[in-house]
Amino acid sequence: AGRVGHDIGTQTIASVGEDNVLLTELADRVKGIDAELRRINRVLDRSRRACNPMMFREDGTIVPKSQLPPECIDRRGCRRWVRSKRYLRLESLRRELYRRQRELRVQQHNELANKLIGFGSQHFIEEMRFRGLAKRAKETKKNDKGKYMRKKRFGKSISNKAPAAFVNILERKVVDAGGTFQKVNTFTVKASQLNHITETYTKKNLNRRWNIMPDGTKVQRDLYSAFLIMNVDDSLGKVDIHLCNETYEQFLKLHSKEIKRIETTISVTPSSMGIKHIA
């Protein structure tokens, strides 16, 4: 009946149990298919523009439907796109790749969920609103150099990795196995800000992937958040400092083993992990 804490991100998940620690990328095998999809989409875009020159302006932007000549509009009032035979073949291949990507993602999600069930029976995870993270930013901002910042956020990562789908699969499997799956209050627990030793909260930038503890120990940020989530109290709104102190030494040992495993066995890791491969 061990406790397990999960810190889920857009690409990775950190899981900490009483005897197990895991930091891994979600559905890492879909990357190869995604690279092929990007290539096909570029070819399709070039073909669409070459076969439909009247649909696009000189600067590459699309002409509004209201400004198109009648021959570019069909009887239903929709755009009449001209598609080459090669375009149709690639479009069919793209549909097949999306199907393969979806099946592979579900397969990997199920495999990972089966592994995490063995960590314990009491699972805790932060509430995450992935739909909001996938949307483009509304506010237009400039960086320090006066250039406009991109409005894209995490839509591509969430589309490829489907973290919300993984959480649903994990919850179903945990409950079916007779365990409990509870979501902690993200805004009151503040796992990414808390230091349980000093009992203080400090806001950190997203690019800061390691926490420096008072004794100088470096702890990977996502794993430490999962450790804190594992030790929430019964209200699910606050971290139990006493539980943290009891399990901290064991967590550090398991943490060191997991970081070494990642450094020595995984050649390419997501930048959000902050861990580089050691040859």
Side-chain angles (χ1 to χ4, degrees):
R3 297 167 67 96
V4 189
H6 305 284
D7 182 60
I8 184 88
T10 57
Q11 297 188 72
T12 62
I13 183 170
S15 300
V16 174
E18 295 175 4
D19 299 305
N20 300 275
V21 163
L22 179 69
L23 176 61
T24 188
E25 181 180 1
L26 294 170
D28 60 327
R29 298 206 300 270
V30 305
K31 287 187 290 189
I33 298 176
D34 185 53
E36 180 65 11
L37 282 169
R38 284 198 302 270
R39 187 191 68 81
I40 290 176
N41 284 329
R42 287 197 298 267
V43 174
L44 291 177
D45 183 64
R46 290 196 297 268
S47 175
R48 189 186 303 113
R49 292 173 182 274
C51 295
N52 302 273
M54 300 180 70
M55 296 282 194
F56 299 91
R57 299 192 181 101
E58 290 184 3
D59 62 359
T61 57
I62 194 166
V63 177
K65 193 164 61 175
S66 59
Q67 298 178 17
L68 290 173
E71 58 266 28
C72 292
I73 304 295
D74 62 18
R75 289 180 300 177
R76 295 174 298 175
C78 301
R79 295 175 185 270
R80 182 181 282 118
W81 293 102
V82 177
R83 297 177 173 87
S84 66
K85 291 182 179 179
R86 183 175 183 237
Y87 184 98
L88 295 174
R89 286 197 302 270
L90 287 174
E91 199 173 38
S92 177
L93 175 59
R94 182 174 64 173
R95 285 194 294 269
E96 171 62 15
L97 288 175
Y98 275 126
R99 183 194 66 78
R100 284 168 49 192
Q101 186 186 54
R102 182 173 62 253
E103 289 186 355
L104 180 58
R105 183 167 51 233
V106 172
Q107 177 188 336
Q108 285 201 268
H109 281 352
N110 277 286
E111 290 172 355
L112 179 58
N114 289 337
K115 183 175 184 177
L116 294 178
I117 288 176
F119 282 22
S121 60
Q122 295 176 274
H123 291 250
F124 303 89
I125 194 169
E126 279 188 323
E127 289 185 279
M128 292 291 287
R129 295 176 175 85
F130 291 108
R131 184 171 295 180
L133 292 174
K135 292 180 179 178
R136 288 167 60 87
K138 294 182 179 180
E139 188 178 351
T140 302
K141 295 182 179 180
K142 292 183 178 180
N143 60 20
D144 297 336
K145 297 181 180 178
K147 294 184 178 181
Y148 286 103
M149 299 173 63
R150 293 188 302 174
K151 289 188 175 182
K152 65 176 293 187
R153 300 175 75 196
F154 305 103
K156 188 66 175 177
S157 298
I158 291 173
S159 174
N160 285 340
K161 305 297 186 180
F166 172 73
V167 172
N168 292 335
I169 289 172
L170 179 60
E171 180 177 9
R172 173 175 55 81
K173 286 181 175 291
V174 168
V175 173
D176 288 348
T180 59
F181 192 91
Q182 301 182 78
K183 295 181 179 180
V184 306
N185 190 319
T186 306
F187 301 102
T188 58
V189 172
K190 300 179 183 178
S192 63
Q193 302 178 26
L194 174 64
N195 184 314
H196 81 279
I197 297 176
T198 61
E199 298 185 33
T200 57
Y201 295 87
T202 306
K203 287 189 176 182
K204 308 177 185 74
N205 293 328
L206 278 176
N207 59 3
R208 182 178 167 185
R209 305 314 308 172
W210 292 83
N211 291 338
I212 309 299
M213 307 307 286
D215 61 356
T217 303
K218 289 179 63 178
V219 181
Q220 206 278 340
R221 176 175 173 167
D222 298 334
L223 286 173
Y224 185 62
S225 293
F227 164 73
L228 296 176
I229 292 169
M230 177 185 73
N231 291 306
V232 293
D233 61 13
D234 294 337
S235 71
L236 304 179
K238 186 179 179 182
V239 174
D240 188 326
I241 302 299
H242 177 68
L243 274 178
C244 289
N245 292 331
E246 285 186 343
T247 56
Y248 183 58
E249 291 300 323
Q250 173 70 355
F251 162 69
L252 287 182
K253 294 177 183 177
L254 297 171
H255 170 276
S256 298
K257 290 181 180 179
E258 178 63 7
I259 297 301
K260 187 175 181 180
R261 180 192 70 84
I262 296 171
E263 290 177 335
T264 55
T265 62
I266 303 177
S267 57
V268 180
T269 59
S271 58
S272 59
M273 283 189 181
I275 303 171
K276 292 183 179 181
H277 177 69
I278 298 177

